[in-house]
Amino acid sequence: MSKRGPGRRPGSADTRGEILTAARRVFAEKGFDKATVRGIAREANVDPALVHHYFATKEGIFAAAMRLPLNPETILPELLEGPREEVGERLVRLLLRVTAAPETREPMVALLRSAMTNEQAQAMFREFITNALLFKVANGLGVPHLRIEAAFAQMFGVVMARYVLKLEPMASADPEELVALLAPTLQRYFTG
């Protein structure tokens, strides 16, 4: 019996899809923190290197498996690079841009709704948001975790008011008006 070499495994043409299906099961069973790339690979019956080939990190797998429009690999540099005094504005613009299009807004709103009614979804969302995104931003900016969570809570409220409750005039407000209104308050969290 010959040992299989590196590369694509024989069989299904949708290996990426099978990895995502396996990842959803593993994240549902173990949560974000306890799930591992090796465990996902084992569940999908693939080599861990193949998982890394399709998804560079566990955060990337989670974002794809949960159909999140926010992948920390792209979000973190966008938030952390640039003048410190513009972090609040960058954060508001990023969130408004991501939530503007239905194809990126809907998966995020669905996960938020699930997190509000399902303890397992809540734990996964909390672990992912805090460990893969918020704490990395806080550490990158050198601000206390409480401050980044306060900024997140404010933007969470904006998303809920704008897209779930559809409160007017928030729901139909021009994005530039919201940037002008929200950015200075968020900036205070980052610069004290």
Side-chain angles (χ1 to χ4, degrees), residues 71-82 90:
N71 186 334
E73 295 166 15
T74 56
I75 298 290
L76 291 173
E78 189 172 338
L79 290 175
L80 296 175
E81 294 171 4
R90 286 195 305 271

Side-chain angles (χ1 to χ4, degrees), residues 47-182:
D47 188 276
L50 192 57
V51 176
H52 283 293
H53 169 75
Y54 285 110
F55 313 95
T57 62
K58 181 170 83 167
E59 292 83 0
I61 298 167
F62 185 84
M66 299 298 131
R67 296 176 184 94
L68 295 180
L70 299 173
N71 186 334
E73 295 166 15
T74 56
I75 298 290
L76 291 173
E78 189 172 338
L79 290 175
L80 296 175
E81 294 171 4
R84 171 86 177 229
E85 61 275 4
E86 295 173 5
V87 173
E89 181 178 336
R90 286 195 305 271
L91 178 58
V92 175
R93 286 189 186 285
L94 170 72
L95 189 65
L96 291 175
R97 185 185 75 233
V98 167
T99 58
E103 63 271 11
T104 53
R105 177 182 61 246
E106 289 166 1
M108 183 185 300
V109 170
L111 186 59
L112 294 177
R113 286 178 191 264
S114 295
M116 292 171 60
T117 59
N118 180 292
E119 285 185 36
Q120 191 174 27
Q122 180 186 74
M124 277 196 305
F125 184 69
R126 180 181 56 245
E127 291 168 1
F128 174 75
I129 287 294
T130 57
N131 297 334
L133 196 58
L134 297 181
F135 291 172
K136 288 183 179 180
V137 171
N139 295 342
L141 295 172
V143 297
H145 290 178
L146 179 59
R147 287 181 173 258
I148 192 72
E149 286 182 353
F152 171 77
Q154 179 143 5
M155 293 311 298
F156 179 85
V158 169
V159 170
M160 294 299 289
R162 191 164 165 93
Y163 299 110
V164 177
L165 299 175
K166 297 180 178 159
L167 295 177
E168 288 297 344
M170 176 73 73
S172 60
D174 180 81
E176 287 305 313
E177 184 179 4
L178 291 176
V179 169
L181 179 66
L182 298 168

